[in-house]
Amino acid sequence: MVVLRAALCPGLTEEMIQLLGANGVRTVVDFVSSDLEDIAQKCSLSYKALVAVRRVLLAQFSAFPTNGADLYEELKSSTAILPTGSPSLDQLLDSGLYTGEVMELMGAPGSGKTQVCLGIAASVSLGLKQHVLFLDSTGGFTASRLYEMLRARAEAEEEQLEALQRIQVVRVFNIYEMLSALQDLRDRLSQQVVSSMGPLKIVVIDSVSAVIYPLLGGKQSEGLAIMMQLARELKTLAREFSLAVVVTNQVTRDSSTGTLKPALGRSWSFVPSTRVLLESKEANWEKATTQRIASLAKSPRQPTGIQVELDIGYGDVQEPGPVTPPQGL
């Protein structure tokens, strides 16, 4: 709730706030829902002045109605579909990554989450000439691996180097550094200040579980609050600035069914619009393989449970074929 304070709106003075607070009116909701005639008598304030203040507060803080047609037109004009660099994964995601949404890649260690994230970064940077922000919380980002992917997709060294320059990497090894990086990004986007970064279309976070897990021990309520703050930041960035947000998460095994499920619990499950589970195609983890099974665990567009095969390779997540932007992007 918004607390009443001086200069929140014209006519709301410090003296008025003190008198209102002494009578239990401390927030905007308290004020606009109060009987102003009664408040005017108790606080010895002008009824007309109180009505004028309430009119301004209602204009500032009320939600304005809109219709479904307007919302749909806004969605069409602001949504883009970004290729992941893997035709199979694009097929699973109904053409690719949608801006305005959070997509989660989940899987056990070694399942290929970081490799897929690098492939996505390479595809958006090289294929679409868009900038990428990559938040690395595990130290898994390897420039040499990314460079190998770019070399496999573009012959010209100049093109490869330009694509590398469009990918900004920020190392964040705790939740506070991650929140600070995201808030700094939001501030820059709000002020339309991009500095060295050009047009940004995607934020990749590898991984969210690495920075959240340490908070979910002793004071769990505090950890959950910080986790939900991160969730709000991600969804706000995606929605307000038409960004695609990709995060990685670990998996745990359900004690009753034995099936794999995403970590971070039920509260986090509402954050990603789409969830993809990555698993090795081979049951024997000791045998090195680049084959992966990607299963759709959650989607607003596709039926869950469908699967595709991915070959993440050692230096290239893309199956043979050029990267091409979707129509209209």
Side-chain angles (χ1 to χ4, degrees):
M1 287 188 211
V2 179
V3 177
L4 293 174
R5 62 182 185 278
L8 186 64
C9 74
L12 190 59
T13 64
E14 192 66 48
E15 180 185 2
M16 184 184 289
I17 290 170
Q18 291 177 359
L19 290 170
L20 290 170
N23 287 273
V25 180
R26 296 182 176 83
T27 68
V28 171
V29 173
D30 293 339
F31 186 84
V32 298
S33 59
S34 297
D35 183 336
L36 293 188
E37 289 186 5
D38 184 47
I39 292 295
Q41 289 181 348
K42 288 181 179 179
C43 299
S44 300
L45 291 169
S46 165
Y47 174 72
K48 285 187 176 180
L50 291 173
V51 169
V53 169
R54 182 168 71 172
R55 187 178 296 120
V56 175
L57 290 176
L58 284 171
Q60 285 182 341
F61 295 100
S62 294
F64 293 95
T66 186
N67 59 57
D70 290 341
L71 289 173
Y72 180 63
E73 288 301 319
E74 181 183 349
L75 181 67
K76 286 199 300 182
S77 64
S78 62
T79 301
I81 305 173
L82 313 180
T84 64
S86 165
S88 296
L89 187 55
D90 287 343
Q91 177 188 352
L92 189 72
L93 298 174
D94 192 20
S95 300
L97 299 167
Y98 284 68
T99 57
E101 297 182 4
V102 179
M103 193 277 279
E104 180 181 271
L105 284 168
M106 56 179 178
S111 58
K113 301 184 297 296
T114 298
Q115 189 81 341
V116 173
C117 286
L118 291 173
I120 290 171
S123 174
V124 173
S125 175
L126 183 63
L128 300 182
K129 305 294 188 287
Q130 299 288 319
H131 287 245
V132 178
L133 176 62
F134 198 113
L135 300 186
D136 176 21
S137 66
T138 64
F141 180 93
T142 308
S144 58
R145 273 200 288 171
L146 178 61
Y147 186 52
E148 287 302 315
M149 290 181 180
L150 293 171
R151 287 182 61 190
R153 303 176 189 203
E155 294 183 2
E157 185 177 359
E158 182 181 355
E159 194 176 358
Q160 298 162 11
L161 294 176
E162 286 177 355
L164 276 176
Q165 290 173 351
R166 285 191 287 267
I167 301 172
Q168 182 183 25
V169 182
V170 180
R171 310 281 186 180
V172 287
F173 294 114
N174 60 59
I175 186 66
Y176 305 104
E177 290 180 355
M178 182 173 290
L179 285 171
S180 176
L182 293 172
Q183 288 163 0
D184 177 64
L185 173 64
R186 180 156 54 86
D187 290 343
R188 284 188 289 147
L189 291 173
S190 297
Q191 299 166 14
Q192 296 184 336
V193 176
V194 244
S195 63
S196 60
M197 292 180 64
L200 182 70
K201 271 298 176 188
I202 186 167
V203 176
V204 179
I205 301 179
D206 185 28
S207 81
V208 292
S209 50
V211 295
I212 293 175
Y213 260 143
L215 303 175
L216 301 180
K219 297 181 179 179
Q220 191 169 9
S221 59
E222 181 182 344
L224 285 172
I226 297 175
M227 180 176 77
M228 297 321 294
Q229 183 182 350
L230 174 62
R232 285 192 298 272
E233 284 290 338
L234 295 178
K235 298 191 87 167
T236 298
L237 279 170
R239 191 168 50 247
E240 292 189 5
F241 301 105
S242 297
L243 300 178
V245 176
V246 177
V247 301
T248 66
N249 190 6
Q250 293 291 339
V251 291
T252 59
R253 198 166 289 279
D254 191 292
S255 57
S256 57
T257 64
T259 57
L260 292 175
K261 63 178 184 179
L264 304 181
R266 182 174 174 78
S267 297
W268 181 261
S269 68
F270 299 102
V271 179
S273 302
T274 302
R275 275 181 147 163
V276 174
L277 173 65
L278 287 177
E279 297 176 278
S280 174
K281 191 177 179 182
E282 299 289 338
N284 183 5
W285 282 90
E286 294 180 358
K287 181 182 178 182
T289 175
T290 62
Q291 298 298 313
R292 298 291 185 269
I293 300 294
S295 309
L296 195 62
K298 179 182 178 182
S299 172
R301 285 171 291 273
Q302 299 265 71
T304 57
I306 60 177
Q307 297 180 337
V308 297
E309 292 187 11
L310 302 180
D311 184 355
I312 63 171
Y314 290 108
D316 188 6
V317 75
Q318 183 188 14
E319 291 88 345
V323 177
T324 55
Q327 293 294 322
L329 192 66

